[in-house]
Amino acid sequence: MSGAGRSTAAKALEDLGWFVIDNLPPGLLFSLAEEAGRANLPADKVAAVVDVRSLAFTTDLNAAIEELEARGAAVRVAFLEASDEELVRRFENVRRPHPLQGEGRLVDGIARERGILRDVRANADLVIDTSTLNVHELRRKIVAFFGGEDRPGLRVNVVSFGYKYGLPVDADLVVDCRFLPNPHWVPELRPMTGLDAPVRDYVLGQPGAKAFLDAYEEVMGVVAAGYTREGKSFATLAVGCTGGKHRSVAMAEQLAARLRERGMEVQVSHRDTGRE
């Protein structure tokens, strides 16, 4: 149903690694499958969001599904719906008309769409009523049904930075390493970065460094589990020191290594190395 959460479902599938095309006329489903094969896309991870604005919607959709199945494709239909009252509220919130209401009222468009989709709903493999679901709850249902063993965990971008250059604008979490002695004041370490073994050993050998890493690793375990439950797929952990060259770089690398050991997908970048 229009307004029932198709865009949210599509984004959830994209996060699972699916190729998703939105607002595809049902008559082009077979062409999509053929193109996916030519592009070497995995056949079990191609999805289309179809729309009732085609006057031949049900005929085209049933014919396309039959053609795909006749050629050996496994087709699954997920149907999203919501109560009339909730759909009206959602359309009024975004101040948009229902695509089928014409010159009538919102409820007229909803009723017409519900009638067109009656057979599709009856034959669907999955029916989700989103009336009482928020976007995170809907996403979890889609992931549970289509994710299988490929359900994504939290993907973390660990970025080191220097406070004197400002906070990363996309940071979800910020770690301050300025409580550790600064290698900048050690002449032989000053020209190096936290990627060099002497600086790394100096930083990690300071009182509190290991305890901090141990504690923050545990914190990230709790945060990552909560983010995943809430449907958040990506997080940026910003690790800062004064100039973004020594302490933050070394600590960012250590935190990234620990998070990888916990099974998270982690990327590391060092924003401010070379800026001094």
Side-chain angles (χ1 to χ4, degrees), residues 164-165 177-178 180-194 198-200 202-203 206 241-248 250 275-276:
K164 69 179 182 180
Y165 302 115
C177 296
R178 291 175 295 180
L180 297 169
N182 193 346
H184 176 81
W185 303 115
V186 180
E188 61 270 25
L189 299 180
R190 183 176 300 177
M192 301 180 186
T193 74
V199 174
R200 180 192 65 220
Y202 176 87
V203 172
Q206 298 302 317
C241 64
T242 303
K245 178 180 179 180
H246 296 114
R247 294 165 291 180
S248 62
R275 291 189 65 171
E276 73 284 349

Side-chain angles (χ1 to χ4, degrees), residues 7 12-13 18 24 27 43 81 83-84 99 103 138 162-163 178-179 198 242 245 256 264 273 276:
S7 296
L13 289 172
W18 287 52
L24 184 75
E81 65 180 0
S83 67
D84 288 2
E103 298 298 321
L138 173 55
Y163 276 93
R178 291 175 295 180
F179 71 94
T242 303
K245 178 180 179 180
M264 299 182 201
T273 54
E276 73 284 349

Side-chain angles (χ1 to χ4, degrees), residues 136 139-140 152-156 171-174 216 220-237:
H136 306 300
R139 184 186 183 283
R140 284 198 290 270
L154 184 70
R155 283 175 268 181
V156 182
D172 297 294
L173 302 156
V174 178
Y216 210 82
M220 280 301 299
V222 175
V223 170
Y227 276 170
T228 301
R229 286 194 299 271
E230 290 301 307
K232 187 175 177 65
S233 300
F234 308 93
T236 296
L237 169 60

Side-chain angles (χ1 to χ4, degrees), residues 14 21 43 45 48 62 77 91 95 104 108 113 133 142 146-147 157 201 210 213 218 227 252 257-258 262 271:
E14 287 179 344
I21 185 167
K45 286 193 173 183
N62 290 334
V77 177
F91 276 105
R95 300 182 180 181
D108 298 328
E113 182 180 31
L133 302 180
I142 294 296
F146 291 103
N157 178 34
D201 295 343
K210 183 179 182 302
L213 288 169
E218 292 302 316
Y227 276 170
R258 288 171 175 240
R262 284 178 170 257
R271 191 190 73 177

Side-chain angles (χ1 to χ4, degrees), residues 11-26:
K11 291 175 182 176
L13 289 172
E14 287 179 344
D15 287 345
L16 288 170
W18 287 52
F19 175 79
V20 181
I21 185 167
D22 198 359
N23 197 17
L24 184 75

